Amino acid sequence: MKELLKKLSEEFGPSGYEDRVRSVIREYIERDLPKNCEIAEDRVGNLYFHVINRDKPRLMINAHMDEVGFMVKGITEDGFLRFGCVGGMNPLVLGAKRVVSERGIKGIISAKPIHLLTNDEKKQLPKVDDMFIDIGATSKEDAEKYADIGDYFIFDSGYVEYGDGFIKCKALDDRHGCAIMCKLIDAIKQGADTEYDLWFAFTCREEISYSSARCASEYVNPDYALVIESKAVQDIYGVDDEKKVCILGDGAIVSFMDNSTVYDKDMVNKLISICKKNNIPYQLNKYISGGNDSSAIQKSICGVRVGLISAPSRYIHSRANVVKYTDLEAMYEIALGLIKE
Amino acid sequence: MTELLKKLVLTSGVSGREDKIREVIKAEAEKYADEIIIDPMGNLIAHKRGKGKKIMFASHMDEIGYFVTFIDEKGLIRVGNVGGINTLSASYSEVVSERGVCGVALPSDSNEVPKVDALCIDIGARSKKQAEKRVSIGDYFVHAPHIKRLYGNIYTGRPLDNRIGCLVLLEALKNVKPTDNDLYFVFTVQEEVGLRGAKPVAYRIEPDIGIAIDVTSAGGKPTSPKTKVKIGGGVAIKIKDASVICSYEIVEKMRELCLDSNIKYQDEILLKGGTDTGAIQTAKMGCLVGALSIPTAYIHSTNEMIDISDVKEAIKLTCAIAERI
């Protein structure tokens, strides 16, 4: 899975521009397509892999393809790019970071050196409106050759393995979910049986709204949904235990509640029993925070029973998301267990 | 009626975990409905069949509370809030878990009104190990339920928001006269966390008219918001709240029904807070909506207060809408 995870995570795909990620996934899941499976795309850009089992209850497994990024909203007279954030980001993690555009243009996000900060500025969070992308242009005219209003940029930050099974890359949120789903599809192709009319939905635009997941749910009309996600955690030095949320390496997170969703009790219990039965490491969330596609899915159509498994992730929505490989393996095992139930 | 009210109030059910209260309501609704449906989110639909207008009444059965997130070395329990907690009232009040474990909600600093994530729960355990015998991560706590009659028609207790609405709906289901209208009495889930349950039900039912029944803030007390709505002033007919602008023809019609049937009513505009009305109005292709409210003081505190005579008027109006709108 690591090779696929690297390829997916390094691919360009901010919210609204998932095309390249979608084609990588499509190419991967299309190989040796079994007769009882089909692939589909909808109008908003969601990609589906369907294991046809028409009379069975319908389960949708979903992960989002998009990542946080930036969009150019203006060019200054001296050739710097004004930008807005696509998805929620802490302005502190932006300064002096390398970025790259959809056309492959490299840039640096401007940041004042400490020598030039006033005492007031030192105390305040920087504002995105005061930042620019520096692409090395010398004038507006020069810059316009390389970038245009509406162009996307993302963090330019590659896949690195370090320490005891830790992985760092941009966009691990939620490409690891996409990678897990691709591997589940491999398992199906290799003969894993399922008791569900099973849909895998690779969705768009999670980082800016949950509307694409709602479309996916209306397209599939599932009885049950399992969302595979990243969960922001703070298991680092100096944070009180009750605010760490979860710990990297302690297993997949099975959530009972976050800011957007109270998860279906039967789904939560089922996921936990799969973990216990198969000795899969798991942890419950120890702080209530964040939200994801499951809220839109749960409320869609006449209501859907929804569960969530997520990878504990440090430094989420920055150039360096960090996850631990063993947690991803645990998530794969839980999802596989659910499919087979 | 008061026996049923007692049962509704004393059965707990935080948003997303409404199983127990749903069972109580189901046992009562079954006696009068043609059909009972429980949808995937847990909404309970009691259907009284008819060939006329499709009317959906909705009253939420969930309440605010806490989920256990962490147990510390000393056995203190950290929680995340479910819905809008009044932390001033919550401090030093009794809480009880889904397994019946009692505790006290504590602020982290006794000198100021705590922020909601500064509340923790003391169940009397002296260590993490002791606490873990009785409480697990993911358990829910609610403020201890209770109800008392004070003076005359005035009752205090919790959670009157919105078990009192459930009572109105059950009494209306019981007392409604035979009618052509196709009636759906819905007890919704997860209202307190953002009107999450009502929309999928409205999507399923596709009503012509949606009517929510909930509590509304009453004025006239030192701490109450500026509003003309009074406890004892009759059922409140909602014109708007933060989630909805009610369909004007429904508001007018509700006033007419009150005048025709001698039902005591007052107009209501709620500035803060929303109701299921907003979610129902915009589900699927949309529908006409209205809402009737029970004037309530100290909403979301550990002692909410109502006048039972308003509840009686609310039942009358609900029946009138079901029969004659």
Side-chain angles (χ1 to χ4, degrees), chain A residues 214 218 223 240-243 245 255-266 268 284-288 295 298-305, chain B residues 15-17 19 39-41 67-70 72-73 78-83 98 117 137-139 190 193-197 199-201 203-204:
Chain A
R214 169 179 289 271
E218 298 202 356
D223 300 297
D240 292 341
D241 279 351
E242 75 263 23
K243 299 228 164 105
V245 185
S255 288
F256 53 89
M257 180 190 175
D258 56 38
N259 282 342
S260 72
T261 314
V262 183
Y263 294 92
D264 184 79
K265 196 176 181 183
D266 294 345
V268 174
L284 297 170
N285 57 303
K286 297 181 187 66
Y287 192 70
I288 286 170
S295 68
Q298 185 180 45
K299 290 179 287 188
S300 63
I301 328 179
C302 299
V304 177
R305 290 173 174 271
Chain B
S15 309
R17 298 289 180 266
D19 358 1
D39 82 355
M41 279 192 81
F67 270 110
V68 174
T69 53
F70 187 81
D72 76 10
E73 289 309 320
R78 305 298 155 112
V79 290
N81 63 304
V82 182
E98 59 181 287
D117 59 358
I137 290 174
D139 283 2
Q190 299 197 33
V193 284
L195 323 180
R196 292 179 192 161
K199 189 159 278 197
V201 200
Y203 190 103
R204 175 184 298 263

Side-chain angles (χ1 to χ4, degrees), chain A residues 48 63 72 84 152 158 171 185 199 219 224 239 260 268 289 292 340:
Chain A
Y48 303 94
V72 177
Y152 280 104
I185 290 169
W199 288 76
Y219 188 91
Y224 304 93
V239 176
S260 72
V268 174
S289 58
N292 58 67
K340 287 178 174 171

Side-chain angles (χ1 to χ4, degrees), chain B residues 22-63:
Chain B
R22 184 169 52 239
E23 279 311 306
V24 169
I25 293 171
K26 185 171 164 234
E28 192 65 20
E30 265 170 352
K31 298 181 204 162
Y32 312 102
D34 298 326
E35 172 190 29
I36 298 270
I37 302 166
I38 295 170
D39 82 355
M41 279 192 81
N43 295 300
L44 174 74
I45 306 165
H47 184 194
K48 240 175 141 63
R49 287 198 192 91
K51 292 195 175 121
K53 280 181 210 153
K54 216 187 255 188
I55 307 173
M56 167 178 160
F57 295 96
S59 167
H60 73 86
M61 55 182 166
D62 62 314
E63 65 184 289

Side-chain angles (χ1 to χ4, degrees), chain B residues 88-108:
Chain B
L88 177 64
S89 156
S91 302
Y92 306 111
S93 74
E94 187 188 346
V95 290
V96 57
S97 87
E98 59 181 287
R99 299 196 235 165
V101 177
C102 292
V104 179
L106 294 176
S108 55

Side-chain angles (χ1 to χ4, degrees), chain B residues 38 69 99 121 128 180 194 247 282 284 289 293 295-296 307 318 321-322:
Chain B
I38 295 170
T69 53
R99 299 196 235 165
I121 292 174
K128 187 174 181 179
D180 267 354
S247 312
T282 54
K284 214 165 192 179
V289 290
S293 316
T296 306
D307 184 323
T318 308
I321 294 169

Side-chain angles (χ1 to χ4, degrees), chain A residues 161-175:
Chain A
E161 291 176 26
Y162 75 106
D164 179 19
F166 288 85
I167 295 169
K168 163 258 153 185
C169 192
K170 59 97 185 160
L172 283 171
D173 167 17
D174 183 23
R175 302 290 160 71

